[in-house]
Amino acid sequence: MAEAGHATYRGHIVSHMDRRALADFLRSSRARVTPADVGLPQGHRRRTPGLRREEVAQLAYISVDHYTRLEQARGRHPSPRVLSGIARALRLTDQERARLFQLAGEREENDAAGPVREVQSSTLNLIDRLGDAAAIVVDSTCRVVAWNPLAAALLEDFSALAPGQERNLIRRYFLHPDPYLRHYGMGASDRFAVTAVSYLRMAVTRYPDNRELKNLVAELVAGSEGFARLWESQQFRIDHHLRQTVRHPQVGAIDLDFDILTVPGQEQQVVIFTAEPDSPAYRSLQLLKVIGTQRMTAET
């Protein structure tokens, strides 16, 4: 049974959530953080000091609606992962972080020291069901952590690569020795580069002491003038929809849309490559499904 004055939530005991005090704490904490503190551009027409609600939500990898409801004292009970994301986004001290968890009525857990690499089963099921679309899951450093068979046929067999640096898309984009293979036949894309660097910038903000991230940034700065310029420029832009022509070595040019969807609370993105039904690009993807299946069957 739960202890007196407590409730059982998601399998563990939590205390009472003080919605009004939590809302006040979030608003005051948000007002103290400037865009520059978290690597965001200042922009124009800021009516209030500090970050905007949507910026906190983006940095915490939660929905704007969820965060807004918490600030308005009408939100549902936030999970430890959501609270950890908010604490990082607002640059809370250890004492402030403990206060955040206390007001939320949640037992504080040790925060992850680095990017989340475990993919939820629901996300894996989603990309597996996308039979006519190529889909990958990337973590906050742009490392591929899951993919479906069509993505392997379109891009490459990620299972044949080392799980670390070789599966990192941003490292491949800037450091691969072969310029053609570097971009999976898509050619250089400034929009992709700025988006990828922006995700990496957010990861460094969330995990400032993570050695892997420090080493990755140092390697990219030292090995790529293009990355170094972007990193120093402080450009920040995330495009959730792009259109690219992929020049595949077996089926030729494929005009594809790709959309980037955020997995709430996981700091991961699902990248989905699609084509209009019955278009030449769609038929090329269907052919790739067959080619990929034949290649995997021949290799087993």
Side-chain angles (χ1 to χ4, degrees):
M1 296 180 60
E3 300 172 2
H6 293 68
T8 301
Y9 177 74
R10 292 181 180 175
H12 61 279
I13 296 173
V14 297
S15 57
H16 175 67
M17 175 181 173
D18 190 334
R19 284 183 167 81
R20 179 58 59 189
L22 175 63
D24 292 341
F25 179 82
L26 290 174
R27 287 194 298 269
S28 63
S29 298
R30 177 167 62 87
R32 295 197 305 268
V33 184
T34 68
D37 291 334
V38 294
L40 295 174
Q42 179 64 39
H44 303 288
R45 299 180 181 178
R46 287 184 180 267
R47 292 176 293 179
T48 58
L51 298 177
R52 298 186 176 101
R53 285 173 176 169
E54 56 266 28
E55 291 170 335
V56 176
Q58 183 181 54
L59 290 168
Y61 273 77
I62 61 176
S63 72
V64 177
D65 180 68
H66 187 11
Y67 181 78
T68 299
R69 286 175 177 272
L70 290 175
E71 277 205 5
Q72 294 174 343
R74 57 191 183 93
R76 66 180 185 272
H77 200 298
S79 69
R81 185 175 293 281
V82 167
L83 292 171
S84 294
I86 292 173
R88 288 192 299 270
L90 296 176
R91 306 299 291 270
L92 300 184
T93 65
D94 290 343
Q95 292 80 10
E96 290 169 337
R97 175 189 165 90
R99 177 63 173 161
L100 173 68
F101 274 75
Q102 179 187 30
L103 293 174
E106 185 58 76
R107 182 176 300 171
E108 185 174 9
E109 298 178 354
N110 292 329
D111 195 17
V116 178
R117 299 265 158 75
E118 182 178 353
V119 183
Q120 294 177 332
S121 58
S122 58
T123 304
L124 293 174
N125 291 335
L126 169 65
I127 65 174
D128 283 342
R129 287 197 295 267
L130 296 173
D132 292 334
I136 60 175
V137 182
V138 298
D139 68 10
S140 55
T141 71
C142 292
R143 179 193 292 191
V144 178
V145 291
W147 57 92
N148 66 6
L150 187 51
L154 175 67
L155 302 175
E156 67 180 321
D157 181 7
F158 295 102
S159 65
L161 304 177
Q165 294 180 338
E166 292 185 27
R167 292 185 190 171
N168 188 290
L169 297 183
I170 193 168
R171 186 179 185 277
R172 178 190 181 96
Y173 185 92
F174 287 103
L175 299 182
H176 196 288
D178 188 327
Y180 182 81
L181 296 177
R182 183 179 299 168
H183 308 130
Y184 292 113
M186 288 186 279
S189 170
D190 292 339
R191 292 175 64 190
F192 170 82
V194 173
T195 293
V197 172
S198 297
Y199 277 122
L200 184 58
R201 200 183 302 281
M202 287 198 299
V204 170
T205 298
R206 284 191 296 271
Y207 307 108
D209 299 320
N210 184 266
R211 177 58 55 186
E212 176 191 340
L213 281 168
K214 289 181 179 180
N215 291 341
L216 176 60
V217 172
E219 181 186 19
L220 288 165
V221 168
S224 169
E225 292 182 2
F227 177 86
R229 284 194 300 270
L230 273 178
W231 192 253
E232 292 300 321
S233 73
Q234 295 298 318
Q235 287 189 60
F236 187 92
R237 186 186 72 232
I238 291 179
D239 289 314
H240 295 283
H241 175 81
L242 294 170
R243 186 171 180 81
Q244 281 284 348
T245 298
V246 178
R247 301 190 181 281
H248 193 274
Q250 292 174 285
V251 301
I254 316 174
D255 295 323
L256 296 174
D257 292 295
F258 67 93
D259 294 272
I260 303 175
L261 311 177
T262 297
V263 182
Q266 288 295 102
E267 301 173 5
Q268 294 171 349
Q269 317 299 318
V270 180
V271 186
I272 305 175
F273 298 81
T274 57
E276 287 291 331
D278 298 324
S279 66
Y282 181 84
R283 291 191 288 273
S284 292
L285 287 181
Q286 297 302 303
L287 178 57
L288 273 179
K289 288 171 64 175
V290 176
I291 292 175
T293 302
Q294 290 176 340
R295 185 170 57 211
M296 287 186 287
T297 301
E299 292 174 352
T300 57

